[in-house]
């Protein structure tokens, strides 16, 4: 008999075809995150879970999944999964790094450029009929080329952003747990403390995973350290930045602007104060949302799941599980 697998959202591409060859598959049929009660019922006999970053894999869920052997998250981030609880049960956890590095680095650049050059304000004004005669002092943004980029977290995505920064002739500072000599050699990046990075950078990019250690890593004190002309870009996870502190900083001009692919909460309600701020550019967690990348993520998640069902090493296993 084939093992049973629960898939919480239909992924793009044909990844599920391969999963169906290996397992008896149940897929949540709706185009919204799976209903928690339905997941609780479906997981009871599952050996594998193919899930999304919107699904909380916590002790409550695991307690209802006595047969579970593998959790495959179709995301690089895994803050939605209780890793310790999975490790305790010997459940392998897979994720999808590498394949989304370039698309996520690209969106970081979209936000660095878009926020600095006031792109969303420009689009709004054109759409609303407010585009008047050319004006020498209208919608002035800030330069990107030749300004300093600070990258918090020099993992795969941080590196890909740094590589692109060379084309903009930007000095790069980075804050990381360890030296990255290869990046330093390739891009001229210099490792500094988080404090120094915040003080010296014109653009601060958040590219660390969310953990207990990084929750609210950027709060009021950190925003106060930044230049009043600076730009904060978050492409990692919303809760790494204290949202209330960011709203206040953008309102008071403590920093000049922000570009966010991720927010806290998510989705951001349409009446959220961040959306009233012209100096805040928000896109809806679309860092990896290209056809190519999402299909590749779906494939890697399928590979991880199938390996886990077979008791084989996962191509991309989350360390520690
Ligand atoms: C991830 O994979 O963790 C990303 O946030 C999805 O875009």
């Amino acid at each position: 008999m084939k093992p049973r697998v629960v898939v919480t959202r239909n992924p793009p591409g044909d990844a599920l075809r391969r999963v169906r060859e290996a397992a008896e598959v149940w897929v949540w049929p709706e185009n919204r995150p799976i209903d928690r009660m339905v997941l609780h019922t479906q997981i009871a006999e599952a050996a594998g879970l193919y899930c999304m970053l919107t699904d909380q894999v916590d002790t409550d869920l695991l307690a209802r999944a006595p047969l579970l052997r593998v959790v495959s998250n179709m995301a690089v981030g895994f803050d939605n999964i209780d890793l310790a609880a999975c490790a305790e049960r010997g459940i392998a956890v897979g994720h999808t790094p590498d394949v989304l590095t370039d698309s996520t680095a690209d969106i970081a650049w979209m936000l660095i450029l878009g926020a600095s050059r006031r792109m969303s304000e420009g689009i709004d004004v054109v759409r609303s009929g407010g585009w008047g005669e050319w004006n020498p002092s209208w919608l002035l943004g800030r330069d990107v080329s030749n300004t300093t980029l600070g990258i918090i977290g020099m993992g795969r995505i941080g590196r890909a952003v740094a590589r692109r920064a060379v084309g903009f002739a930007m000095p790069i500072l980075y804050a990381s747990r360890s030296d990255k000599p290869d990046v330093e050699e390739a891009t001229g990046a210099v490792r500094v403390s988080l404090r120094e990075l915040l003080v010296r950078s014109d653009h601060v990019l958040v590219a660390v995973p969310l953990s207990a250690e990084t929750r609210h890593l950027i709060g009021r004190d950190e925003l106060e350290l930044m230049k009043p002309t600076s730009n904060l870009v978050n492409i990692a996870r919303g809760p790494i930045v204290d949202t209330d502190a960011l709203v206040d900083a953008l309102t008071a001009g403590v920093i000049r602007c922000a570009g966010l692919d991720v927010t806290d909460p998510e989705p951001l309600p349409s009446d959220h104060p961040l959306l009233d701020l012209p100096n805040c550019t928000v896109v809806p967690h679309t860092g990896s949302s290209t056809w190519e990348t999402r299909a590749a993520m779906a494939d890697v998640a399928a590979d991880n799941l199938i390996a886990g069902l077979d008791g084989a090493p996962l191509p991309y296993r989350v360390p520690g599980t």
Side-chain angles (χ1 to χ4, degrees):
M1 242 195 25
K2 287 180 178 176
R4 184 176 158 79
V5 160
V6 170
V7 178
T8 62
R9 200 82 183 256
N10 209 351
D14 75 342
L16 281 196
R17 187 185 45 75
R18 286 187 301 115
V19 178
R20 284 201 169 90
E21 283 165 14
E24 185 203 318
V25 177
W26 179 87
V27 186
W28 168 246
E30 297 188 28
N31 192 17
R32 62 181 175 92
I34 189 169
D35 190 284
R36 188 83 182 152
M37 298 315 285
V38 175
L39 181 55
H40 280 176
T41 310
Q42 291 296 335
I43 203 72
E45 290 178 6
L49 174 64
Y50 185 112
C51 59
M52 307 291 136
L53 56 82
T54 41
D55 305 316
Q56 293 305 313
V57 180
D58 51 18
T59 47
D60 190 20
L61 182 73
L62 294 174
R64 296 163 202 269
L67 307 178
L68 200 62
R69 299 202 293 271
V70 54
V71 172
S72 181
N73 210 30
M74 201 191 108
V76 64
F78 40 77
D79 47 282
N80 56 315
I81 300 175
D82 186 332
L83 297 183
C86 287
E88 203 170 293
R89 285 267 310 273
I91 297 170
V93 179
H95 68 145
T96 64
D98 288 340
V99 289
L100 49 60
T101 299
D102 283 326
S103 55
T104 310
D106 291 347
I107 215 157
W109 274 99
M110 184 183 93
L111 289 167
I112 292 169
L113 290 162
S116 302
R117 301 301 301 270
R118 305 177 63 175
M119 191 173 82
S120 62
E121 285 175 84
I123 292 171
D124 285 351
V125 96
V126 171
R127 290 217 163 120
S128 63
W131 184 1
E133 295 301 314
W134 187 87
N135 178 336
S137 22
W138 188 47
L139 275 179
L140 303 188
R142 284 275 166 180
D143 276 348
V144 173
S145 296
N146 301 300
T147 61
T148 299
L149 173 63
I151 302 179
I152 305 173
M154 197 49 100
R156 295 172 175 89
I157 296 169
R159 284 161 189 258
V161 172
R163 282 198 300 276
R164 287 155 173 76
V166 174
F168 288 90
M170 294 172 92
I172 302 166
L173 305 175
Y174 72 101
S176 168
R177 274 195 293 225
S178 58
D179 283 337
K180 310 289 179 196
D182 56 326
V183 187
E184 293 181 10
E185 194 181 330
T187 67
V190 176
R191 182 170 170 228
V192 294
S193 66
L194 176 61
R195 185 190 169 84
E196 186 174 347
L197 182 149
L198 293 168
V199 169
R200 288 178 51 195
S201 299
D202 297 298
H203 308 269
V204 171
L205 174 73
V206 178
V208 277
L210 174 62
S211 65
E213 213 185 341
T214 61
R215 184 173 293 272
H216 286 193
L217 182 69
I218 305 298
R220 281 179 207 283
D221 292 347
E222 291 71 26
L223 290 162
E224 287 286 347
L225 290 172
M226 290 173 64
K227 299 181 188 182
T229 49
S230 65
N231 176 19
L232 177 74
V233 173
N234 187 1
I235 47 105
R237 285 291 184 266
I240 299 169
V241 176
D242 176 345
T243 303
D244 293 342
L246 179 62
V247 169
D248 291 347
L250 288 168
T251 307
V254 171
I255 65 170
R256 194 179 67 86
C257 60
L260 308 175
D261 180 41
V262 289
T263 58
D264 180 23
E266 234 174 72
L268 205 57
S270 58
D271 61 353
H272 193 279
L274 270 182
L275 299 179
D276 289 333
L277 294 168
N279 52 347
C280 189
T281 302
V282 185
V283 290
H285 203 150
T286 48
S288 63
S289 59
T290 67
W291 284 103
E292 298 86 348
T293 298
R294 285 286 164 82
M297 290 166 69
D299 276 337
V300 172
D303 294 342
N304 284 332
L305 184 86
I306 292 165
L309 293 174
D310 288 348
L314 272 51
Y316 290 100
R317 186 169 180 155
V318 174
T321 67

